[in-house]
Amino acid sequence: MEKFMDFKEYLAKISRYEQALSLIYWDLETYAPENSVNYRSEVLGELSERHYNLFVSDTIAEYLDYFSQENIFNSFCEQDKALIKVTKKEFEKIKKIPVKLVRKLAQTTTKANHAWKKAKECDNFNLFQPYLEEILVLNKEKADILGYENNRYDALLDLYEPNLKTTEISKINEYLKENLTPFLNKLLEDGEKPQDDFYKQNFDFNKQKQLSLEALKFMNFDFNSGRLDISVHPFTTKIGPRDVRITTKYSPLDLRYSLFSTIHECGHALYELNIPEAFFETPLDEGASMAIHESQSRFWENFIGRSFPFWNFFSPILKAILNSFEGLSIESLYKGVNIVERSLLRTEADEVTYNFHIMLRYEIEEALINDRITTKELPLIWNDKMKEYLGIVPPNDSLGVLQDVHWSNGSFGYFPSYMLGNLYAAQFNSKLKQDVPDYSLELEKGNATSILTWLKENIHQYGKMYEPQELIYKVTGETLNPKYFVDYITNKYTEIYNI
Amino acid sequence: MEKFMDFKEYLAKISRYEQALSLIYWDLETYAPENSVNYRSEVLGELSERHYNLFVSDTIAEYLDYFSQENIFNSFCEQDKALIKVTKKEFEKIKKIPVKLVRKLAQTTTKANHAWKKAKECDNFNLFQPYLEEILVLNKEKADILGYENNRYDALLDLYEPNLKTTEISKINEYLKENLTPFLNKLLEDGEKPQDDFYKQNFDFNKQKQLSLEALKFMNFDFNSGRLDISVHPFTTKIGPRDVRITTKYSPLDLRYSLFSTIHECGHALYELNIPEAFFETPLDEGASMAIHESQSRFWENFIGRSFPFWNFFSPILKAILNSFEGLSIESLYKGVNIVERSLLRTEADEVTYNFHIMLRYEIEEALINDRITTKELPLIWNDKMKEYLGIVPPNDSLGVLQDVHWSNGSFGYFPSYMLGNLYAAQFNSKLKQDVPDYSLELEKGNATSILTWLKENIHQYGKMYEPQELIYKVTGETLNPKYFVDYITNKYTEIYNI
């Protein structure tokens, strides 16, 4: 149908602005000289506005109205139907939010981000609190505009994890708390904590880079369609079709940081790189949701990168590149990347404790959005919850309530995606083990082909065609079930900690 | 005046598209993964079209009409007058050329560039000739549309060097030929050619990079407003205000290549970086012309970088970084970067022979555009002229008529800028010596401050305010005069070659 081709060409036009914007963002985080930042922001503003105007337009509205007519819609194949649905959902969501609010949010978060950095630096929550308050007010306004049935937080959650409700997250939280809290306590009281001092050295950055490159080679990362660079915080960005760039950071304190960051980001990258050409430059050319995306990065980082079979393969490579660790067994190296600790920082948390960090953030966000607590109370509430869930209290707010950038960026509703990513990953992993029973044997030989193929066929190839709940059901035959995660954690760490 | 502020804001909007485009070009030449190129071209196309539509618009036409009214125009300061004039000239030039022709040229040059690469690789001019023919036809059409008084080539020349006529270039050529040909012959027959074998080694690329960085430090290149990267062909690109990026290439065959490329490109960069903030994001925020730009890069590369005082300062640094050249005197190192040879390639030509390479290209271009010769005859004509001007004949077309990329890019009228750049540089240098008599003494100490200040005050600070001929007159009190170049060359090389 010619009209549908025109529609796709118009979507491609919109996508080209996204590609330019992505490149500018990537450049700002990697190579842009310091003094260019203010002027570059104006370029971002200009292209973003143009992008917005192309998308929230009568042109798109007309296309969508036309293609949504029942008899016409039904004539499309599944993929084209998905394209229409996904575009429509996005269009209606963005259209609802007044430009004035978008601008106000942008202005406020720019200031808030600045204030947050300062507050963190000076360990002074009060410097950030007024901005956080303003962001909260705007987010509540946004949630009310977007609409919800039972819980205002649902509206924000839906921005990151479509159709998942607050009640569902709360249920998951309870299940995890119930099952993981006693396990964590047992682990730390009765278990044998492995050694990991050997990782905490200042290894030459070139050698760390070589290690990252070896990990990427193992993962089949295609350097003709991507890059590895350095940035302050590791990230993945899809510039456009066949160009997905990841970054890492080499730490002088801990070898594990860069290696697992690289593997994590490459997990994101493989997802984007495996989306089929037919979806290029359309809204289907991305992951199903933030959480499904995170399931891919966490799968590679933890389920593969922190697995024994992988270390069986990777240990000799590691030893050769570092020209070190001679006396250490594969088991020691493996156990050393699986240390469980009551720690202060989310980004440094292990697999077992990670979700607790999310739960407390989720509970705080949800209570803020529903006016049950105030921003002024946050430091106290944060510390109470840290004590309750993790058994430690931050010595200061910089290492506590001020640690994450998200709220200063206006991202309320985002945190649960991290937790959900872990749960999805465990559920996918369980199905993968059923479908490819000997994947561990291949892994031991450094062969990831079966895994890659499975991920591609079951998840990656669909891009954004399916909503997360549809996808997990399609792949595993059931809806999201936190049991898989709990089973995985208890099995793995019972063995490692010898309890 | 509020309307004038609106006009400038509209120009800034246009500039933001240029900035995005520049970043995409830079990325394509430096870091973009191979497979992304085709999709990225579409992004370039989309943003270029938008840029074109914003510039060739009723909005701009109305602003220009309004501000050009005599009583209004006269109320502006010199700088604002220049902004109106420059914008108007650019607008009228671009408006004249039909979109159809622009597109046709873009399509043809894309194919031609591909064909040129292949032709050069296979040493087969016939593979390129049909495309060159097509480009020539389109360039003639473009020249006719742009208009001219006496010579069709004037119209193309004006695109790169405003208001300079073909007759003027021809006169300059005759003068240079008359004075430099006998000098070159004498030099090569009677002179003592210095040694330079020591430069022709495979020096570690990291050391070459360190040398480049030292040269940039000496030139006061500001890394907070720019970068140094690597590309196949060294280039300079202004991404936007306070962001000017240069590239170099480290050669395993010759140490001089990367060093002088870096200095050359930094000469371009300093020009752009010294344009005042008041011009940012307007058409005045660039150099006066291609040739004036080239005068800056050549000034630093040759008049400074290949001068004795500079080598007096730089030799110890060079020796320390390379940990080599111990027995070589400053004089040997200096003379080794000033070798004169009858060589085949323009890009590798020395100061004395360089302009001959341009003359033959200019003569060929001018004759082609005026239908006095045909593209089919080019290899023969090229070789004849090489014999006449440089005394050597290329062994094949790859090293002859196929060596430069310019024609495949559709750039007819560009080559003279390189020659003019040398001449402007000599004339500026002569004036600089008068104004700052002891600049050599400062140079010897590695201090370039007086030079930088002079260039900034006399040239850089004006951006594109003045046309090249106005500028040279303003700075030196006379119009372009090739005598300065001939004097410089004969003095310098009489001494080096001891004739």
Side-chain angles (χ1 to χ4, degrees):
Chain A
M1 207 191 317
E2 206 183 319
K3 198 182 176 82
F4 194 68
M5 294 301 290
D6 291 348
F7 173 53
K8 284 185 79 171
E9 181 49 35
Y10 189 78
L11 291 175
K13 187 187 178 84
I14 294 172
S15 155
R16 283 164 199 149
Y17 283 88
E18 289 161 18
Q19 294 175 51
L21 286 163
S22 298
L23 184 67
I24 297 171
Y25 280 118
W26 172 83
D27 184 67
L28 281 171
E29 297 295 329
T30 52
Y31 294 119
E34 201 181 315
N35 293 343
S36 68
V37 176
N38 287 342
Y39 285 93
R40 200 62 36 80
S41 307
E42 298 292 325
V43 179
L44 285 173
E46 178 63 38
L47 297 192
S48 300
E49 194 184 314
R50 171 74 175 156
H51 175 263
Y52 180 91
N53 290 335
L54 286 170
F55 188 66
V56 185
S57 62
D58 292 345
T59 313
I60 285 279
E62 278 159 29
Y63 279 126
L64 290 173
D65 283 349
Y66 181 80
F67 295 127
S68 300
Q69 294 169 78
E70 207 182 325
N71 59 328
I72 294 174
F73 184 77
N74 287 335
S75 70
F76 283 111
C77 66
E78 197 181 2
Q79 183 189 308
D80 292 344
K81 278 180 184 161
L83 178 58
I84 296 164
K85 267 168 60 184
V86 167
T87 309
K88 194 169 177 175
K89 180 168 180 187
E90 190 67 13
F91 173 74
E92 281 169 357
K93 192 173 70 194
I94 298 187
K95 198 184 61 175
K96 270 187 192 167
I97 307 170
V99 177
K100 223 177 113 184
L101 178 59
V102 174
R103 249 187 228 146
K104 185 80 189 148
L105 258 165
Q107 287 161 356
T108 310
T109 52
T110 303
K111 280 182 284 175
N113 192 268
H114 194 77
W116 166 73
K117 276 181 192 151
K118 186 115 195 186
K120 194 174 169 180
E121 223 176 271
C122 308
D123 183 30
N124 184 348
F125 179 74
N126 293 333
L127 297 177
F128 178 48
Q129 186 272 333
Y131 295 95
L132 181 59
E133 184 63 37
E134 218 179 310
I135 287 177
L136 179 62
V137 170
L138 295 170
N139 262 284
K140 289 189 281 186
E141 190 182 334
K142 187 170 160 184
D144 290 341
I145 289 168
L146 289 167
Y148 54 89
E149 277 176 38
N150 301 307
N151 189 320
R152 191 193 260 159
Y153 190 72
D154 284 349
L156 300 176
L157 203 51
D158 188 73
L159 296 172
Y160 305 98
E161 193 62 8
N163 286 334
L164 201 74
K165 302 295 176 216
T166 309
T167 48
E168 189 63 28
I169 306 254
S170 294
K171 254 196 285 176
I172 290 170
N173 275 8
E174 290 314 309
Y175 179 85
L176 291 176
K177 263 189 247 177
E178 203 174 299
N179 286 279
L180 288 182
T181 309
F183 181 70
L184 176 65
N185 290 335
K186 198 170 164 212
L187 208 65
L188 297 181
E189 277 154 34
D190 305 343
E192 296 164 14
K193 188 179 170 186
Q195 289 292 315
D196 68 340
D197 291 346
F198 46 87
Y199 284 128
K200 295 178 183 168
Q201 297 178 50
N202 183 0
F203 290 97
D204 181 74
F205 284 11
N206 278 320
K207 288 183 176 178
Q208 292 197 43
K209 186 177 175 184
Q210 260 181 281
L211 274 183
S212 276
L213 293 176
E214 285 295 331
L216 293 178
K217 198 170 129 192
F218 156 74
M219 293 172 76
N220 284 28
F221 182 70
D222 177 5
F223 275 94
N224 288 323
S225 302
R227 300 186 44 81
L228 172 69
D229 296 282
I230 297 171
S231 65
V232 178
H233 302 287
F235 69 97
T236 302
T237 187
K238 179 178 209 156
I239 311 289
R242 305 220 162 98
D243 189 355
V244 179
R245 306 185 186 188
I246 65 178
T247 67
T248 192
K249 192 174 81 171
Y250 304 112
S251 161
L253 303 175
D254 197 317
L255 181 67
R256 292 166 293 188
Y257 187 83
S258 64
L259 179 62
F260 287 102
S261 295
T262 301
I263 297 175
H264 179 99
E265 299 307 332
C266 184
H268 283 302
L270 293 178
Y271 192 0
E272 293 292 337
L273 286 168
N274 279 329
I275 297 175
E277 194 169 344
F279 293 4
F280 284 4
E281 301 189 310
T282 76
L284 297 184
D285 190 15
E286 54 180 79
S289 72
M290 292 300 312
I292 298 287
H293 233 298
E294 197 67 12
S295 80
Q296 298 308 293
S297 53
R298 297 292 272 182
F299 171 77
W300 283 100
E301 180 191 349
N302 292 332
F303 293 77
I304 304 296
R306 289 193 165 91
S307 74
F308 189 78
F310 173 75
W311 281 89
N312 202 46
F313 152 72
F314 203 66
S315 294
I317 294 174
L318 185 89
K319 288 180 178 182
I321 288 175
L322 299 180
N323 196 16
S324 184
F325 292 172
E326 237 174 88
L328 292 171
S329 66
I330 295 175
E331 202 177 327
S332 305
L333 292 170
Y334 160 66
K335 286 190 169 182
V337 299
N338 287 294
I339 304 290
V340 181
E341 273 168 336
R342 301 187 191 279
S343 65
L344 296 169
L345 302 176
R346 175 186 63 82
T347 54
E348 293 175 11
D350 53 80
E351 290 185 278
V352 183
T353 58
Y354 191 92
N355 290 340
F356 290 110
H357 290 274
I358 300 304
M359 287 173 208
L360 80 90
R361 284 160 178 75
Y362 157 74
E363 289 172 3
I364 288 173
E365 281 191 344
E366 195 268 333
L368 280 173
I369 290 291
N370 287 304
D371 296 323
R372 293 198 310 276
I373 58 172
T374 67
T375 54
K376 285 193 176 159
E377 299 169 274
L378 282 201
L380 268 178
I381 296 177
W382 184 282
N383 290 356
D384 282 353
K385 283 190 186 283
M386 277 298 287
K387 179 118 185 61
E388 186 187 344
Y389 298 149
L390 284 151
I392 46 172
V393 176
N396 57 51
D397 290 340
S398 295
L399 295 168
V401 67
L402 287 170
Q403 70 182 264
D404 287 310
V405 70
H406 301 62
W407 290 336
S408 79
N409 288 344
S411 306
F412 277 76
Y414 186 125
F415 279 123
S417 295
Y418 292 120
M419 182 177 78
L420 295 168
N422 293 325
L423 309 187
Y424 282 127
Q427 194 163 335
F428 286 139
N429 185 54
S430 163
K431 186 65 168 61
L432 167 61
K433 275 194 165 163
Q434 274 177 41
D435 291 353
V436 189
D438 53 357
Y439 97 63
S440 291
L441 294 174
E442 289 188 23
L443 258 191
E444 275 178 17
K445 295 178 202 139
N447 181 354
T449 320
S450 300
I451 299 173
L452 283 163
T453 306
W454 189 91
L455 293 173
K456 185 174 175 176
E457 283 178 3
N458 286 280
I459 302 164
H460 302 176
Q461 68 151 321
Y462 298 119
K464 208 183 174 141
M465 264 184 83
Y466 301 113
E467 298 212 326
Q469 295 310 306
E470 289 177 291
L471 185 67
I472 191 88
Y473 190 83
K474 192 178 160 72
V475 178
T476 68
E478 58 179 315
T479 53
L480 179 59
N481 185 345
K483 182 184 157 295
Y484 294 100
F485 181 76
V486 170
D487 286 353
Y488 158 76
I489 289 292
T490 44
N491 287 334
K492 180 173 175 180
Y493 287 91
T494 296
E495 202 187 319
I496 292 174
Y497 273 70
N498 205 15
I499 48 173
Chain B
M1 209 193 312
E2 205 183 320
K3 200 181 175 81
F4 194 68
M5 293 302 289
D6 291 347
F7 173 53
K8 284 186 79 171
E9 181 49 34
Y10 189 79
L11 291 175
K13 186 187 178 85
I14 293 171
S15 155
R16 285 166 198 147
Y17 284 88
E18 289 161 19
Q19 295 175 51
L21 286 162
S22 297
L23 183 67
I24 297 171
Y25 280 118
W26 172 83
D27 183 67
L28 281 170
E29 298 296 329
T30 52
Y31 294 119
E34 202 181 314
N35 293 343
S36 69
V37 176
N38 287 341
Y39 285 93
R40 199 60 38 79
S41 308
E42 298 293 325
V43 179
L44 285 174
E46 178 62 38
L47 296 192
S48 300
E49 193 184 314
R50 171 74 176 157
H51 174 262
Y52 180 92
N53 290 335
L54 285 170
F55 188 65
V56 186
S57 62
D58 293 344
T59 312
I60 285 280
E62 278 160 28
Y63 279 127
L64 291 173
D65 283 349
Y66 180 81
F67 296 126
S68 299
Q69 295 169 78
E70 208 182 323
N71 58 329
I72 294 173
F73 185 78
N74 288 334
S75 70
F76 283 110
C77 67
E78 196 181 2
Q79 181 189 308
D80 292 344
K81 278 181 184 160
L83 178 59
I84 297 163
K85 269 168 60 185
V86 167
T87 310
K88 194 169 179 176
K89 182 170 179 186
E90 190 66 13
F91 172 73
E92 279 168 0
K93 191 173 70 193
I94 298 186
K95 197 185 61 176
K96 269 188 192 165
I97 307 170
V99 177
K100 224 178 112 183
L101 178 59
V102 174
R103 251 186 228 147
K104 185 82 188 142
L105 257 166
Q107 287 160 357
T108 310
T109 52
T110 303
K111 280 183 282 174
N113 191 267
H114 194 76
W116 166 74
K117 276 182 193 152
K118 187 115 194 186
K120 193 174 170 181
E121 223 175 271
C122 308
D123 183 30
N124 184 349
F125 179 74
N126 293 333
L127 297 177
F128 178 48
Q129 186 273 331
Y131 296 96
L132 181 59
E133 184 63 37
E134 219 179 309
I135 286 177
L136 179 63
V137 170
L138 295 170
N139 263 283
K140 288 191 283 188
E141 191 182 334
K142 187 170 159 182
D144 290 342
I145 288 168
L146 288 168
Y148 53 89
E149 276 176 38
N150 302 308
N151 188 319
R152 191 192 260 161
Y153 190 72
D154 284 348
L156 299 176
L157 203 51
D158 188 73
L159 296 173
Y160 304 98
E161 193 62 9
N163 286 334
L164 202 74
K165 301 294 176 218
T166 309
T167 48
E168 190 60 30
I169 306 255
S170 294
K171 255 195 285 178
I172 290 169
N173 274 9
E174 289 316 309
Y175 179 85
L176 291 177
K177 266 191 246 178
E178 203 173 297
N179 287 279
L180 288 182
T181 310
F183 180 69
L184 175 63
N185 291 336
K186 199 170 165 211
L187 206 65
L188 297 181
E189 277 154 34
D190 304 343
E192 297 164 13
K193 187 180 171 186
Q195 289 292 314
D196 68 341
D197 291 347
F198 46 87
Y199 284 127
K200 296 177 182 170
Q201 298 177 50
N202 183 0
F203 289 99
D204 181 74
F205 284 11
N206 278 320
K207 288 183 176 177
Q208 293 196 43
K209 186 177 174 184
Q210 260 182 281
L211 274 182
S212 276
L213 293 176
E214 285 296 330
L216 293 179
K217 198 170 129 191
F218 156 75
M219 293 172 76
N220 284 29
F221 182 71
D222 176 6
F223 275 93
N224 288 324
S225 303
R227 300 184 43 82
L228 172 68
D229 296 281
I230 297 171
S231 66
V232 178
H233 302 288
F235 69 97
T236 302
T237 187
K238 179 179 207 154
I239 310 287
R242 305 222 163 96
D243 188 355
V244 180
R245 306 184 187 188
I246 65 178
T247 68
T248 192
K249 192 173 82 171
Y250 305 111
S251 161
L253 303 175
D254 197 318
L255 182 67
R256 293 166 293 189
Y257 185 84
S258 64
L259 179 62
F260 287 102
S261 295
T262 301
I263 297 174
H264 178 100
E265 300 306 332
C266 184
H268 284 302
L270 293 179
Y271 193 177
E272 293 291 338
L273 286 169
N274 278 330
I275 297 174
E277 193 168 345
F279 293 3
F280 284 4
E281 301 189 309
T282 77
L284 297 184
D285 189 15
E286 54 180 79
S289 72
M290 292 299 312
I292 298 286
H293 233 299
E294 197 67 11
S295 80
Q296 298 308 293
S297 54
R298 298 292 273 181
F299 170 77
W300 283 100
E301 181 191 349
N302 292 332
F303 293 78
I304 303 297
R306 288 192 165 92
S307 73
F308 189 78
F310 173 75
W311 280 88
N312 201 47
F313 152 71
F314 204 65
S315 294
I317 294 174
L318 185 88
K319 288 181 179 184
I321 289 175
L322 298 179
N323 196 15
S324 183
F325 293 172
E326 237 173 88
L328 291 170
S329 67
I330 294 175
E331 202 177 329
S332 304
L333 292 170
Y334 161 64
K335 286 191 168 180
V337 299
N338 287 294
I339 304 290
V340 180
E341 273 168 336
R342 301 189 190 277
S343 64
L344 296 170
L345 301 177
R346 174 186 64 82
T347 53
E348 293 174 11
D350 54 80
E351 290 185 278
V352 183
T353 58
Y354 190 92
N355 289 338
F356 290 110
H357 289 273
I358 300 303
M359 288 174 205
L360 79 90
R361 284 160 178 76
Y362 157 73
E363 288 171 6
I364 288 173
E365 280 190 347
E366 195 269 332
L368 280 173
I369 290 291
N370 288 304
D371 296 322
R372 294 198 310 275
I373 59 172
T374 67
T375 54
K376 285 193 177 159
E377 298 168 274
L378 283 201
L380 268 178
I381 296 176
W382 184 282
N383 291 356
D384 282 354
K385 284 190 185 284
M386 278 297 288
K387 179 117 184 68
E388 186 187 343
Y389 296 151
L390 284 150
I392 47 171
V393 176
N396 57 51
D397 290 340
S398 295
L399 295 167
V401 68
L402 287 171
Q403 70 182 262
D404 287 311
V405 69
H406 302 62
W407 291 336
S408 78
N409 287 345
S411 307
F412 277 77
Y414 186 125
F415 281 123
S417 295
Y418 292 119
M419 182 176 78
L420 295 168
N422 293 326
L423 308 186
Y424 282 126
Q427 194 163 335
F428 286 138
N429 186 54
S430 162
K431 186 63 168 58
L432 167 62
K433 274 192 165 163
Q434 273 177 41
D435 292 351
V436 188
D438 53 358
Y439 97 62
S440 292
L441 293 175
E442 290 187 23
L443 258 192
E444 276 179 17
K445 296 178 202 135
N447 181 354
T449 320
S450 301
I451 299 173
L452 282 163
T453 306
W454 189 92
L455 293 173
K456 184 173 175 177
E457 281 178 3
N458 286 280
I459 302 164
H460 302 176
Q461 68 151 320
Y462 298 119
K464 207 181 175 146
M465 264 184 84
Y466 301 112
E467 297 213 327
Q469 295 310 307
E470 291 176 290
L471 185 67
I472 190 87
Y473 190 83
K474 190 178 162 73
V475 178
T476 68
E478 59 179 315
T479 52
L480 180 59
N481 185 346
K483 181 185 157 296
Y484 293 100
F485 180 76
V486 170
D487 287 352
Y488 159 75
I489 290 291
T490 45
N491 287 333
K492 179 172 176 181
Y493 288 91
T494 297
E495 203 186 316
I496 292 174
Y497 273 70
N498 205 15
I499 47 174

